[in-house]
Amino acid sequence: MNHALQIRSALVSEQLPAPAQAWLQALVAQQPPQQRTLPALVAAAKARLLSTDLTTPGLLDASLPPPVFPRELLSASAVSAREIRLSHDVVAQVVDLENLSQSRWQQVQALEAIERGEQKRGREIIRVPAAGDAEQDDGGDETDAGDRNGRPAAQAASTGTATGTSDANATHRLVLQDAAGQTLFALELTRIYRIGIGRLRMGEKVLLKKGIVAARGTLLLEPASVKFLGGQVESLHKTWVEGRLARLRSEATAAGSG
């Protein structure tokens, strides 16, 4: 078995989508000869895959069934259906995130703190990893019970956003995008501490497990139904922070003057 096939097999075993053969061969060719051991190549491929937009042409193996949202979830009738269950696993990426429990100004403050590389824990300002450090955290589901920094759920629950408020009872709405560029809303049905402004980054890959329920066209997320694979797409994250800040400031100003 050649390196490309071995790497693909290793990635698929970790529930990542299968990259195209040409993409893998190009990645192998770019590595220095001394780093072409299988473990090193798998690590490099995983990091590159997690930091690449899923919709990039030629990224995924076209010979395999595309891991995309099923038609019944994307049809116009889905919004009137009480319950549709996902018929197969889908790897998607996060392209939007909103804390529905916060006011617009609170969301502005949280995003401004992220821009400065800061967050608050209680009254203590802490530094958070820079965007370029994302590859050091593979985002595995071992942190599902806590937060991105590995704190347990009980401690993560007491961790505030930039306003110092707890997100233990927050509800987040996400927009998830599949490899075909199709998007669906997702809503926390049960609080998942891995989801939060400053913890979840745009372009991060998530595995939506077969059987997850969609109600009225919206995926309902519970800890057992989703696995966080990690990564981020720097261009998506930067555009999202800047664009969301502008929208929130405009909306907050309009609401304040209304």
Side-chain angles (χ1 to χ4, degrees):
M1 185 182 292
N2 62 35
H3 272 147
L5 290 177
Q6 289 177 308
I7 296 167
R8 186 176 72 169
S9 178
L11 295 176
V12 170
S13 72
E14 294 189 39
Q15 297 178 294
L16 290 163
Q21 182 87 347
W23 186 87
L24 286 169
Q25 289 173 338
L27 180 138
V28 171
Q30 292 167 4
Q31 306 307 308
Q34 65 273 20
Q35 294 181 16
R36 291 184 187 175
T37 64
L38 184 59
L41 290 172
V42 170
K46 181 178 179 180
R48 182 77 63 84
L49 181 60
L50 290 174
S51 64
T52 301
D53 188 332
L54 279 180
T55 64
T56 302
L59 173 64
L60 301 183
D61 189 343
S63 68
L64 298 176
V68 297
F69 296 131
R71 291 181 181 178
E72 59 266 27
L73 277 181
L74 300 166
S75 66
S77 61
V79 296
S80 59
R82 283 189 174 184
E83 180 179 305
I84 300 175
R85 290 187 177 269
L86 200 62
S87 57
H88 55 270
D89 290 351
V90 175
V91 175
Q93 60 189 8
V94 181
V95 293
D96 196 12
L97 172 65
E98 181 178 5
N99 186 341
L100 301 178
S101 307
Q102 287 186 328
S103 70
R104 292 182 178 87
W105 277 121
Q106 286 175 316
Q107 293 178 61
V108 166
Q109 289 176 305
L111 288 172
E112 287 177 337
I114 292 172
E115 276 199 321
R116 295 191 300 269
E118 297 174 356
Q119 283 184 276
K120 276 191 176 181
R121 181 168 61 223
R123 296 184 179 182
E124 176 190 2
I125 295 178
I126 60 172
R127 300 295 297 179
V128 295
D133 296 337
E135 288 184 4
Q136 297 176 12
D137 174 16
D138 66 7
D141 62 343
E142 69 275 9
T143 59
D144 288 358
D147 69 0
R148 193 177 186 89
N149 295 320
R151 293 189 295 271
Q155 187 175 349
S158 65
T159 300
T161 62
T163 62
T165 58
S166 171
D167 69 352
N169 298 313
T171 298
H172 294 85
R173 181 176 64 188
L174 299 80
V175 178
L176 301 175
Q177 183 183 53
D178 67 15
Q182 304 166 132
T183 58
L184 281 176
F185 282 113
L187 189 71
E188 283 181 298
L189 184 61
T190 302
R191 182 73 183 98
I192 302 172
Y193 291 103
R194 186 66 171 74
I195 299 176
I197 305 295
R199 289 200 288 268
L200 198 61
R201 293 177 173 270
M202 298 306 107
E204 180 158 348
K205 310 304 185 287
V206 297
L207 172 68
L208 303 166
K209 299 180 181 179
K210 177 182 177 180
I212 188 173
V213 173
R216 311 296 184 188
T218 297
L219 295 165
L220 303 179
L221 303 182
E222 298 184 272
S225 66
V226 59
K227 178 180 179 181
F228 298 89
L229 301 173
Q232 74 171 70
V233 179
E234 181 58 33
S235 59
L236 289 179
H237 190 75
K238 184 175 186 294
T239 300
W240 175 78
V241 171
E242 293 173 349
R244 186 145 191 80
L245 262 175
R247 292 196 303 272
L248 286 169
R249 284 173 178 150
S250 177
E251 292 169 1
T253 302
S257 61

